[in-house]
Amino acid sequence: MGVVSKSKWQQIGMLAPAMIVLGVIIATPFALSLWFSFTDQRLVPRPVPTQFVGLRNYERILADPLFWQAIGNTLQFAVLVVPFQLSISLGAALILNARIPFRPAVRAIAIVPLLLPMTVIVAIWAVLFRIPNGPLNAAWQFFAGEGQYVDWIGSSSTAMVAMVVLSAWATFPYQMLIYLAGLQDISEELYEASRIDGANAWQRFWNVTWPGLRNVNIFLLVITTIGALKLFTQVSILTKGGPNGSTTTIIYYLFQQGYATQKVGSASAVAVIFFLAVSAIALFQRHVFKNEGEM
């Protein structure tokens, strides 16, 4: 019996719920942001009606040095945190997938950061970063000598690194759980065959585990990159974009435009630029990996 093809209207009906959801949560906000970006819309209503200002918001933002610093900081954060976070997530998943003592308990402890609100995590790390005698500086003084300390979040040279470490610790369990699911999906027969062929641990990882995690790696690379580009909470609570703008990210810059200066039109222009940039990066990543094979 042949396969019964669905009619055109049946296919449209199946797609309709997804299209409605996408239209409500993506297309509509983007369309509103695009419109506001061409106006002088303020956060607080004014006696003067909102006016159409053309590209003036874009011209003003693109001429702002802090905007370009925020772009640079955001890209720097993404370049540092994505490989670091994926590496520790994969390492943790490999350990938790092995036959280690008390494995269920260790797995439960490993996901604790995922259960904590980001505000609590930032508060914990604020204590760890404290100067001059916080836990991290106590460890630093053990090696560097008494009286030596590092202003982890108060120095332009270390503040972004502090953001990377904090953010990686806070969210790595999410990637770890996905890696763990991917590892358990790899056939044990492949490992047995490689052992029979005399492969050592590294050869089994490189020839069996790594290829088996290909699709997982692509998925995590895309979503982790997008997540990194949206860095905000840690910056807002811990550094306020400082020192000297060294941790001002594009989302924090957008927040400052929209709420601190109440320029909704300018904030909308930043949001439109950010949306297009993230979409371009995601499409580029998908294009690169699609050329190597279908996801």
Side-chain angles (χ1 to χ4, degrees):
M1 184 177 177
V3 178
V4 179
S5 61
K6 295 183 176 63
S7 69
K8 181 179 179 180
W9 288 109
Q10 284 178 318
Q11 296 177 18
I12 293 175
M14 294 175 66
L15 288 173
M19 298 305 295
I20 292 173
V21 172
L22 290 175
V24 171
I25 65 175
I26 296 180
T28 302
F30 179 74
L32 289 174
S33 296
L34 187 62
W35 165 247
F36 285 143
S37 71
F38 296 120
T39 71
D40 63 351
Q41 178 73 37
R42 305 283 296 186
L43 184 63
V44 178
R46 300 172 299 169
V48 181
T50 300
Q51 296 182 348
F52 183 81
V53 297
L55 297 175
R56 194 168 69 191
N57 288 324
Y58 291 94
E59 293 172 351
R60 192 179 62 80
I61 287 171
L62 294 176
D64 185 358
L66 185 58
F67 170 76
W68 293 107
Q69 186 178 14
I71 292 286
N73 290 339
T74 303
L75 294 176
Q76 181 188 18
F77 176 79
V79 168
L80 291 175
V81 78
V82 172
F84 179 57
Q85 191 168 349
L86 293 183
S87 297
I88 61 175
S89 300
L90 177 58
L94 289 171
I95 294 172
L96 295 181
N97 195 49
R99 293 186 177 88
I100 59 175
F102 309 108
R103 186 167 65 174
V106 176
R107 285 182 175 180
I109 294 172
I111 65 172
V112 166
L114 200 60
L115 306 177
L116 299 175
M118 183 58 76
T119 51
V120 174
I121 291 174
V122 173
I124 293 172
W125 279 87
V127 174
L128 295 175
F129 289 137
R130 185 179 297 166
I131 57 171
N133 296 318
L136 290 179
N137 271 314
W140 178 264
Q141 290 176 22
F142 179 79
F143 297 102
E146 191 69 23
Q148 301 293 319
Y149 66 88
V150 177
D151 191 357
W152 301 102
I153 57 176
S155 170
S156 300
S157 59
T158 57
M160 183 57 78
V161 176
M163 288 293 110
V164 169
V165 175
L166 186 163
S167 302
W169 183 86
T171 56
F172 89 91
Y174 175 71
Q175 286 88 349
M176 180 194 72
L177 290 176
I178 296 176
Y179 269 131
L180 199 56
L183 288 171
Q184 294 176 356
D185 199 39
I186 299 175
S187 173
E188 188 63 29
E189 293 178 354
L190 295 175
Y191 289 107
E192 291 298 331
S194 63
R195 289 190 183 94
I196 293 173
D197 291 339
N200 57 32
W202 168 251
Q203 290 170 327
R204 290 197 297 275
F205 171 79
W206 188 248
N207 295 307
V208 178
T209 305
W210 189 250
L213 293 174
R214 182 182 180 281
N215 288 342
V216 174
N217 275 323
I218 294 173
F219 172 72
L220 288 179
L221 179 62
V222 173
I223 65 167
T224 306
T225 301
I226 294 174
L229 296 174
K230 296 189 299 180
L231 176 67
F232 172 73
T233 305
Q234 301 90 309
V235 171
S236 178
I237 297 175
L238 205 56
T239 65
K240 308 295 183 188
N244 300 320
S246 60
T247 59
T248 297
T249 61
I250 192 64
I251 296 297
Y252 187 76
Y253 179 82
L254 186 156
F255 171 79
Q256 288 292 313
Q257 292 291 318
Y259 290 93
T261 65
Q262 301 188 0
K263 297 177 181 175
V264 173
S266 297
S268 298
V270 178
V272 170
I273 295 172
F274 177 71
F275 178 83
L276 295 177
V278 171
S279 299
I281 292 173
L283 290 174
F284 174 75
Q285 287 181 328
R286 179 170 175 76
H287 174 74
V288 169
F289 288 110
K290 190 175 182 180
N291 287 341
E292 298 176 6
E294 292 295 333
M295 289 179 60

